[in-house]
Amino acid sequence: MHTHAVDPDLPDLGHRFPGHPWPSVERLDDADAWLHFDGKRYRHIDDRCWSPSRRLADMDREHVAVQVVSPIPVTFCYQGDAAAAAELAASQNEFFARMISAEPTRFAALGAVALQDPDLAVEELRRCMARPGFLGVEIGTQVRGIELSDERFDRFFEVAHELGALVLVHPSDQDLLTRTTSIGIGFGAGMPIETGLAAAALVTSGALARRPGARLCLAHGMGALPALIGRLDKGALIAGVPPDSPNLPSRCATSLWSDSLTYNRQALLAVVELVGASHVVFGSDYPFPAMPSPLDDIVTDLPAELRQRITRTNVEEHYGPLPGTRTHPLSAAGRH
């Protein structure tokens, strides 16, 4: 569920919309490129980011039936002009649609939206979900410093529920605490802390009660949330929330989903304990160095039933059978 793809022909918005940082791609040859951000080199990328055939070769080698591709967070661009960010999101979604069209039984997608303008985000969400193979969208953990729990995003999540869209919440480098990046632990601590803060706001604010049915999946094993949940519950009890209240943070958290990308079996089991075995899906961070090695390293020694749930059946229960053992491909299943 958690893989990334990058359009090698991203629109270069820097010339038309100056004053904000935008991503762009500098192609070196058919197989290599630099992803730029704000006019500076951000990350070296290769054709695994855009080539269906290259990805399929890796998928076949790793026995992966379907990849759900999604944006790389540096392309969220919530700080930029909303209309320009919406244009960027639409362009990325066209790219994802072409990938799906090339291999409709092997690829699905989580699209991009310009969440700094919730109305534009809803418009693009509806457009995505009307297309074959789109299962939802990917968003950041905050929007210009505004928490996802804020009421201004309620309609976006209501529409996501209406359309059956999964919303993958993924931290962006641009939002990490400076304290973590300045000492070189942005990846190891900054990202899970950022996700944990966003999740803590969701489970303590009443936002999830206002958005019943919305399916939010938190990347990287929910970040720090499993480690925080006990203290969040205690804080709520101290504040006067009754012990049997459905608003206790740990009870609210059971409506959330998570990917499996914890790099540690005990951490993954803590996620399963918090949200339940039916709310965890397999994530790999393909094609970046953050991928587990081997790809199934985190789940390989789990009990067989739990492993099957995480790697296959939890997705199938919502989107239909995956290719390989039954007759209908994911991208043609259900309402999508």
Side-chain angles (χ1 to χ4, degrees), residues 260-279:
S260 62
L261 201 55
T262 61
Y263 308 102
N264 179 275
R265 185 176 188 269
Q266 292 305 312
L268 178 56
L269 291 175
V271 173
V272 172
E273 181 179 358
L274 179 57
V275 300
S278 62
H279 278 205

Side-chain angles (χ1 to χ4, degrees), residues 22 26 36 49 87 99 114 131 141 171 239 249 254 261 279 290 294 330:
W22 300 103
E26 175 195 2
H36 289 240
C49 286
E87 178 182 332
M99 289 189 69
R131 308 183 75 153
T141 50
T254 61
L261 201 55
H279 278 205
L330 178 97

Side-chain angles (χ1 to χ4, degrees), residues 18 50 59 61 80 90 93 100 108 126 132 136 162 177 182 189 193 195 216 218 287 290 304 313 323 334:
W50 62 79
M59 291 164 64
R61 184 175 60 255
N93 294 335
I100 294 168
R126 289 191 183 279
E162 169 197 325
L177 293 172
S182 66
I193 289 170
T195 303
L216 280 73
L218 302 177
T313 56

Side-chain angles (χ1 to χ4, degrees), residues 159-172:
V159 173
H161 170 51
E162 169 197 325
L163 299 175
L166 182 140
V167 180
L168 176 64
V169 179
H170 192 303
S172 170

